[in-house]
Amino acid sequence: MSLRQPSAEDDGDRVRRTARIRAASAGPLRLTHPEAHGPHHFDTRRAHTQEEAAFALALDPRGYGDPDEGWRHLVASSALEADPAPGAPEHLHVFAVRYGPDDRAFTPVFAAEGAALRVRTEAFTALIGDPAGDAHGEPELTLSAAEPLV
């Protein structure tokens, strides 16, 4: 499923807002919004920008201080949510989302390899190691060039 949503884009030494972002998901994809209103509930359908919302959430409502600090007070926001990907191993909750201008169908293929998971897409293959991870609790991730989808 594909969805287009307002976003930001790198523009050299700054970031600028773009009209839309393209996202595709292996499972159903939906945009949800907070039910409550007010500065602690950021709803992308409203007329204010993320910058205005950040200042409204900041400790100094006059617009001074650190707007990034204001996001710590966020209770709820609009979110792009994906359901688990079909075809993933039954014992895993796998979500696969692709962002970008590619309009091709997004149909990743999943295969359990012991405790690891191999994910093949049209752009790359990822091997995600044992969920228990290494000595620091981080699963190993190995990326390689795309392999043919079967």
Side-chain angles (χ1 to χ4, degrees):
M1 172 179 192
S2 293
L3 181 72
R4 295 172 189 221
Q5 171 63 16
S7 186
E9 179 177 281
D10 186 15
D11 187 20
D13 61 346
R14 64 189 179 105
V15 175
R16 66 181 172 90
R17 185 174 177 158
T18 61
R20 304 255 175 227
I21 185 173
R22 293 181 184 175
S25 175
L29 189 64
R30 67 196 162 281
L31 182 62
T32 61
H33 303 284
E35 292 182 20
H37 300 286
H40 295 88
H41 300 84
F42 182 69
D43 188 332
T44 58
R45 297 171 297 184
R46 298 188 149 224
H48 60 264
T49 65
Q50 285 186 346
E51 181 182 37
E52 292 166 335
F55 277 115
L57 289 166
L59 295 178
D60 187 343
R62 297 173 295 173
Y64 298 101
D66 182 2
D68 290 333
E69 187 275 332
W71 288 113
R72 293 185 192 124
H73 305 284
L74 185 68
V75 173
S77 72
S78 296
L80 190 58
E81 298 178 355
D83 283 348
E90 294 277 329
H91 66 286
L92 297 174
H93 297 279
V94 177
F95 303 88
V97 178
R98 177 188 65 206
Y99 295 95
D102 194 338
D103 287 328
R104 291 180 292 174
F106 182 58
T107 55
V109 176
F110 307 94
E113 295 184 9
L117 175 68
R118 181 173 302 276
V119 181
R120 290 187 176 120
T121 73
E122 68 283 349
F124 64 88
T125 297
L127 181 63
I128 305 165
D130 187 336
D134 60 16
H136 304 287
E138 294 290 329
E140 184 177 334
L141 173 64
T142 305
L143 294 173
S144 59
E147 299 174 10
L149 294 175
V150 179

